[in-house]
């Protein structure tokens, strides 16, 4: 049954106003030091994240040093019950970005907020407020949940094209008014420079908005920061961010294609060859441009993997398949304690799945389980390595996790991913598998959100996957104009607890739909 959406018309009006109020891309490209004198502004918009029943984190970026404040109200007009939440001083140490945590919010309610930036030397001098909104997590089960997921933004040479209206898929998703967006990795392409014009096979020309930082591969902290800023030049994305909270994870292109810890690059485009140095800079920029407080300020406990609790119906387990993995290899080892997650992250995931009382446990994986993803002619990038027999290499760690889910009778698990630049639904079943000790489960793939489209890959039979649906580009690196973006949608019904996954593409069409019943170890 459809989900109840509070005050939807006013939400749409408000977000459109936010989009119109934010500065044009040419103004956004100016560095803070070059900004005209006057009151501090936030032309890169606002974002929210880490939303719970009683709290949330709000992000912004200033065009110069500024003190951040956030005002909240249950009223879009801010006519009553306005509260002010203090935020940090925004300065060059964080690239003029910052977050404020809002507390004592009402559960299951629409919260309207506006970010106010003040001159640090004169608090009376404030810029134009930038507005946003989000829904706090419901306390009870009867309120349904809707969220979207996808990944891969501005990759393979396809950036913000003003001829197409930019990243217009975000406007389509915004109108569907989800509770949050799961950004499933490759949130930028730090290794993907953009050209102003790209010739397409049909003879037409794709035009990109370009910036200095996108003219080469990212190596310095400033260049990584510039890659995150680049996507915020798009008005569709800024309006989307102002309405839909984000749960962000990273994959490889935040740093460099197919990277792993300890890698030394053999790539003439890079003067910095140590990928660990690049990854540290990318991680810092990621922490500055998304509302993920545990990653900010150099916290030693900060980590990319985490769990988001969204009321009684849903827990989202965000994995990090980059930071702790071993080197890419042929993947034929019979003993692999490091794997793709690392021992510590695997232990955490097993414990948190056991602790979860949510009806549904979504495992947000930045890489697929059964799709064979090569890295060159010999090595493999993801979990599968094309050997259909017993688990080997990184498959051993996944086998241990799947066995744990079955033996602990953990119900309602499903896997969501992006990465491979097409959309698919895979059902895994021990009856078809070489490894038998697990319960059936589903993996859904969706992406790219705005990047090159690619043909679908082969499946590895170790865990018995079967393709129930797939749609992909017929040739490699088709532009978003030829191969429109894909995104997934999940609806959880508050009355029945049933979960419906829809694989969508830009233009509004539903390509595939599957409804799962709650309370089962395997589906």
């Amino acid at each position: 049954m459809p989900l109840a959406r509070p005050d939807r018309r006013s939400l749409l009006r408000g977000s459109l106003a936010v989009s119109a109020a934010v500065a044009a891309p040419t103004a956004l490209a100016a560095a803070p030091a070059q900004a005209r004198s006057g009151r501090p502004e936030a032309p890169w918009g606002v974002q929210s994240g880490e939303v719970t029943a009683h709290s949330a984190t709000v992000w912004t970026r200033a065009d110069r040093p500024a003190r951040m404040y956030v005002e909240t109200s249950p009223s879009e007009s801010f006519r009553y019950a306005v509260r002010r939440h203090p935020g940090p001083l925004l300065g060059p140490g964080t690239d003029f970005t910052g977050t404020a945590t809002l507390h004592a919010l009402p559960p299951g309610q629409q919260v309207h907020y506006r970010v106010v930036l003040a001159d640090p030397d004169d608090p009376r001098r404030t810029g134009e407020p930038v507005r946003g909104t989000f829904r706090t997590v419901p306390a009870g089960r009867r309120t349904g949940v809707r969220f979207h997921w996808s990944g891969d933004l501005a990759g393979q040479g396809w950036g913000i094209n003003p001829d197409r209206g930019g990243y217009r898929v975000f406007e389509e998703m915004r109108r569907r008014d989800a509770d949050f967006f799961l950004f499933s990795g490759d949130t930028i392409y730090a290794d993907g420079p953009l050209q102003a014009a790209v010739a397409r096979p049909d003879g037409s020309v794709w035009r990109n908005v370009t910036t200095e930082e996108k003219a080469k591969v990212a190596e310095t902290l400033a260049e990584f920061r510039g890659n995150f800023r680049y996507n915020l030049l798009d008005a569709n994305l800024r309006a989307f961010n102002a309405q839909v909270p984000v749960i962000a994870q990273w994959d490889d292109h935040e740093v460099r294609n197919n990277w792993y810890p300890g890698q030394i690059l053999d790539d003439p485009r890079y003067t910095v060859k140590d990928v660990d140095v690049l990854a540290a800079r990318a991680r810092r920029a990621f922490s500055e441009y998304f509302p993920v407080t545990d990653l900010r300020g150099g916290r030693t406990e900060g980590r990319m993997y985490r769990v988001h609790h969204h009321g009684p119906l849903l827990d989202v387990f965000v994995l990090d398949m980059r930071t702790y993995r071993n080197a890419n290899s042929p993947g034929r080892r019979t003993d692999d304690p490091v794997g793709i997650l690392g021992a510590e992250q695997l232990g955490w995931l097993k414990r948190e799945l056991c602790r979860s009382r949510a009806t549904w446990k979504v495992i947000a994986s930045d890489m697929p389980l059964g799709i064979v993803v090569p890295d060159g002619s010999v090595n493999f990038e993801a979990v599968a390595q094309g050997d259909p027999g017993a688990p080997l290499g990184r498959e051993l760690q996944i086998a241990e996790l799947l066995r744990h889910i079955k033996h602990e009778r953990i119900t309602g698990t499903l896997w969501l991913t992006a990465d491979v630049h097409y959309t698919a639904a895979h059902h895994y079943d021990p009856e078809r598998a070489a490894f038998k000790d697990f319960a059936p489960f589903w993996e859904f793939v969706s992406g790219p959100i705005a990047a090159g489209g690619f043909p679908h890959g082969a499946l590895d039979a170790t865990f018995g996957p079967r393709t129930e649906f797939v749609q992909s580009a017929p040739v490699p690196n088709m532009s978003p104009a030829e191969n429109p973006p894909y995104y997934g949608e999940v609806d959880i019904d508050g009355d029945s607890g049933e979960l419906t996954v829809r694989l969508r593409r830009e233009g509004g069409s539903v390509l595939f739909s599957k409804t799962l019943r709650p309370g089962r170890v395997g589906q």
Side-chain angles (χ1 to χ4, degrees), residues 303-321:
R303 63 193 187 194
M304 198 72 69
Y305 67 87
R306 57 207 189 274
V307 58
H308 287 265
H309 305 288
H310 199 92
L313 287 174
L314 176 66
D315 281 346
V316 180
F317 298 85
V318 181
L319 302 188
D320 178 358
M321 290 180 157

Side-chain angles (χ1 to χ4, degrees), residues 24-231:
T26 52
L28 288 174
Q34 298 171 326
R36 60 181 176 82
S37 62
R39 301 171 186 269
E41 303 290 347
W44 288 269
V46 292
Q47 297 181 65
S48 63
E50 301 181 328
V51 178
T52 73
H54 300 287
S55 65
T57 299
V58 169
W59 172 98
T60 197
R61 183 179 193 263
D63 64 352
R64 70 203 72 197
R67 175 69 65 181
M68 176 183 179
Y69 300 92
V70 182
E71 297 176 339
T72 59
S73 173
S75 164
E76 185 184 15
S77 66
F78 286 80
R79 291 179 180 172
Y80 63 92
V82 177
R83 295 181 55 213
R84 172 167 276 206
H85 308 257
L89 180 66
L90 310 182
T94 59
D95 200 29
F96 301 88
T97 68
T99 61
T101 301
L102 317 182
H103 296 287
L105 302 175
Q109 298 295 315
Q110 197 72 39
V111 176
H112 299 275
Y113 69 90
R114 56 192 181 194
V115 171
V116 179
L117 299 180
D119 187 322
D121 300 320
D122 185 357
R124 296 169 299 177
R125 292 178 54 81
T126 60
E128 186 71 21
V130 181
R131 297 190 178 200
T133 187
F134 57 83
R135 278 185 294 275
T136 51
V137 171
R141 175 191 165 111
R142 296 296 297 274
T143 302
V145 180
R146 170 178 292 172
F147 70 93
H148 294 134
W149 91 93
S150 190
D152 315 300
L153 181 60
Q156 290 75 47
W158 314 111
I160 301 169
N161 185 344
D163 297 337
R164 295 192 77 242
Y167 301 146
R168 61 191 189 196
V169 65
F170 284 102
E171 173 61 13
E172 181 175 310
M173 289 195 298
R174 184 190 69 79
R175 290 181 177 275
R176 296 200 58 76
D177 194 28
D179 291 286
F180 62 88
F181 175 58
L182 173 60
F183 207 159
S184 302
D186 294 342
T187 58
I188 62 169
Y189 274 74
D191 58 339
L194 295 176
Q195 297 178 348
V198 182
R200 290 167 52 194
D202 63 2
S204 63
V205 174
W206 174 284
R207 291 197 306 123
N208 284 316
V209 172
T210 58
T211 64
E212 180 181 351
E213 293 89 353
K214 289 298 295 179
K216 63 178 291 292
V217 296
E219 298 180 88
T220 67
L221 177 58
E223 288 166 348
F224 282 108
R225 287 166 165 171
N227 272 258
F228 285 99
R229 275 200 309 279
Y230 175 81
N231 289 328

Side-chain angles (χ1 to χ4, degrees), residues 213-266:
E213 293 89 353
K214 289 298 295 179
K216 63 178 291 292
V217 296
E219 298 180 88
T220 67
L221 177 58
E223 288 166 348
F224 282 108
R225 287 166 165 171
N227 272 258
F228 285 99
R229 275 200 309 279
Y230 175 81
N231 289 328
L232 296 175
L233 297 178
D234 182 69
N236 302 296
L237 180 55
R238 296 196 305 274
F240 179 81
N241 286 343
Q243 180 175 317
V244 183
V246 64
I247 298 175
Q249 65 184 146
W250 75 351
D251 191 33
D252 55 338
H253 290 287
E254 284 83 2
V255 180
R256 192 257 185 190
N257 185 48
N258 294 359
W259 74 274
Y260 51 82
Q263 185 181 23
I264 303 299
L265 301 181
D266 181 18

